Amino acid sequence: MVRLFKLLILIPITIVTVIFLVINRAPVTLTFDPFSSDAPAFTLTLPLFIIIVACFALGVLAGGIGAWMKQGKWRKAARDTQYEAARWRRRAGQLKDEQERARTTADTSLSALPAPQNRTAA
Protein backbone atom coordinates (compact mmCIF):
# COMPACT_ATOMS: atom_id res chain seq x y z
CA MET A 1 0.00 0.00 0.00
CA VAL A 2 2.79 2.41 0.92
CA ARG A 3 4.74 1.45 -2.19
CA LEU A 4 1.72 2.15 -4.39
CA PHE A 5 1.17 5.50 -2.68
CA LYS A 6 4.81 6.45 -3.24
CA LEU A 7 4.55 5.52 -6.91
CA LEU A 8 1.35 7.55 -7.31
CA ILE A 9 3.16 10.57 -5.87
CA LEU A 10 6.66 10.14 -7.32
CA ILE A 11 5.78 9.30 -10.92
CA PRO A 12 3.80 12.53 -11.57
CA ILE A 13 6.45 14.63 -9.78
CA THR A 14 9.18 13.04 -11.88
CA ILE A 15 7.26 13.61 -15.12
CA VAL A 16 6.58 17.27 -14.28
CA THR A 17 10.24 17.79 -13.28
CA VAL A 18 11.58 16.27 -16.50
CA ILE A 19 9.18 18.36 -18.61
CA PHE A 20 10.20 21.51 -16.68
CA LEU A 21 13.90 20.78 -17.19
CA VAL A 22 13.50 20.08 -20.92
CA ILE A 23 11.50 23.28 -21.47
CA ASN A 24 14.03 25.51 -19.64
CA ARG A 25 17.08 25.03 -21.85
CA ALA A 26 17.68 28.72 -22.58
CA PRO A 27 20.95 30.17 -21.28
CA VAL A 28 20.73 32.34 -18.18
CA THR A 29 23.41 34.62 -16.79
CA LEU A 30 24.07 34.03 -13.12
CA THR A 31 25.97 36.80 -11.32
CA PHE A 32 27.78 36.41 -8.00
CA ASP A 33 28.78 40.06 -7.59
CA PRO A 34 26.08 42.06 -5.76
CA PHE A 35 28.08 45.32 -5.79
CA SER A 36 28.78 45.85 -9.50
CA SER A 37 25.86 45.41 -11.88
CA ASP A 38 27.70 46.98 -14.84
CA ALA A 39 30.76 44.74 -14.86
CA PRO A 40 30.28 41.90 -12.38
CA ALA A 41 33.41 40.13 -11.20
CA PHE A 42 32.09 36.62 -11.55
CA THR A 43 29.30 35.50 -13.87
CA LEU A 44 28.18 32.20 -15.31
CA THR A 45 26.06 31.70 -18.40
CA LEU A 46 24.43 28.29 -18.24
CA PRO A 47 21.15 26.70 -19.26
CA LEU A 48 18.53 27.21 -16.55
CA PHE A 49 17.97 23.48 -16.04
CA ILE A 50 21.62 23.01 -15.08
CA ILE A 51 21.34 25.75 -12.44
CA ILE A 52 18.13 24.20 -11.09
CA VAL A 53 19.60 20.69 -10.93
CA ALA A 54 22.78 22.03 -9.28
CA CYS A 55 20.74 23.90 -6.65
CA PHE A 56 18.68 20.78 -6.00
CA ALA A 57 21.84 18.66 -5.65
CA LEU A 58 23.41 21.17 -3.25
CA GLY A 59 20.21 21.20 -1.18
CA VAL A 60 20.15 17.42 -0.96
CA LEU A 61 23.84 17.39 -0.02
CA ALA A 62 23.38 20.08 2.65
CA GLY A 63 20.33 18.28 4.07
CA GLY A 64 22.21 14.98 4.17
CA ILE A 65 25.16 16.53 5.98
CA GLY A 66 22.84 18.26 8.45
CA ALA A 67 20.95 15.04 9.17
CA TRP A 68 24.21 13.11 9.54
CA MET A 69 25.56 15.68 12.02
CA LYS A 70 22.32 15.74 14.01
CA GLN A 71 22.31 11.94 14.34
CA GLY A 72 25.86 11.84 15.72
CA LYS A 73 24.73 11.43 19.33
CA TRP A 74 22.64 8.40 18.35
CA ARG A 75 25.53 6.79 16.48
CA LYS A 76 27.76 7.35 19.52
CA ALA A 77 25.14 5.81 21.84
CA ALA A 78 24.84 2.78 19.54
CA ARG A 79 28.63 2.38 19.45
CA ASP A 80 28.86 2.62 23.25
CA THR A 81 26.07 0.07 23.67
CA GLN A 82 27.78 -2.26 21.22
CA TYR A 83 31.07 -2.03 23.14
CA GLU A 84 29.28 -2.63 26.45
CA ALA A 85 27.45 -5.66 25.05
CA ALA A 86 30.75 -7.09 23.80
CA ARG A 87 32.28 -6.53 27.23
CA TRP A 88 29.38 -8.34 28.94
CA ARG A 89 29.64 -11.22 26.45
CA ARG A 90 33.34 -11.60 27.24
CA ARG A 91 32.60 -11.54 30.96
CA ALA A 92 29.86 -14.17 30.54
CA GLY A 93 32.31 -16.36 28.61
CA GLN A 94 34.90 -15.99 31.38
CA LEU A 95 32.36 -16.95 34.04
CA LYS A 96 31.24 -19.93 31.99
CA ASP A 97 34.86 -21.08 31.64
CA GLU A 98 35.45 -20.65 35.39
CA GLN A 99 32.30 -22.65 36.12
CA GLU A 100 33.43 -25.45 33.76
CA ARG A 101 36.86 -25.52 35.40
CA ALA A 102 35.31 -25.63 38.87
CA ARG A 103 32.96 -28.42 37.82
CA THR A 104 35.81 -30.41 36.24
CA THR A 105 37.97 -29.89 39.32
CA ALA A 106 35.13 -30.97 41.61
CA ASP A 107 34.48 -34.08 39.51
CA THR A 108 38.15 -35.13 39.57
CA SER A 109 38.48 -34.46 43.29
CA LEU A 110 35.35 -36.50 44.02
CA SER A 111 36.62 -39.39 41.90
CA ALA A 112 39.89 -39.36 43.85
CA LEU A 113 38.06 -40.04 47.14
CA PRO A 114 37.78 -43.67 48.19
CA ALA A 115 34.49 -45.29 47.42
CA PRO A 116 32.18 -45.64 50.39
CA GLN A 117 32.06 -49.15 51.83
CA ASN A 118 28.88 -50.84 52.83
CA ARG A 119 28.89 -51.75 56.47
CA THR A 120 26.42 -54.32 57.33
CA ALA A 121 25.68 -55.27 60.87
CA ALA A 122 26.99 -58.74 61.63
Side-chain angles (χ1 to χ4, degrees):
M1 184 72 173
V2 174
R3 179 178 255 172
L4 177 66
F5 183 70
K6 284 181 181 179
L7 287 175
L8 289 175
I9 298 296
L10 291 179
I11 288 176
I13 290 174
T14 304
I15 291 171
V16 169
T17 304
V18 168
I19 291 171
F20 179 77
L21 293 177
V22 169
I23 290 172
N24 290 297
R25 293 178 301 189
V28 175
T29 302
L30 186 64
T31 303
F32 292 103
D33 188 3
F35 303 112
S36 175
S37 60
D38 296 334
F42 185 70
T43 61
L44 284 174
T45 303
L46 296 169
L48 181 60
F49 77 92
I50 291 178
I51 294 171
I52 292 171
V53 169
C55 288
F56 179 75
L58 286 173
V60 168
L61 182 67
I65 290 171
W68 181 77
M69 291 175 69
K70 189 164 180 95
Q71 295 168 355
K73 63 181 176 183
W74 302 112
R75 285 192 307 277
K76 182 181 182 320
R79 238 184 347 262
D80 292 345
T81 304
Q82 188 177 19
Y83 293 146
E84 186 176 353
R87 191 180 79 221
W88 284 109
R89 281 190 204 102
R90 278 193 308 274
R91 181 65 180 142
Q94 290 171 353
L95 291 173
K96 191 180 275 188
D97 291 344
E98 288 175 14
Q99 187 180 19
E100 269 309 307
R101 274 187 257 128
R103 187 177 298 142
T104 306
T105 306
D107 289 346
T108 45
S109 62
L110 287 177
S111 64
L113 293 176
Q117 296 177 359
N118 287 339
R119 295 186 187 189
T120 56

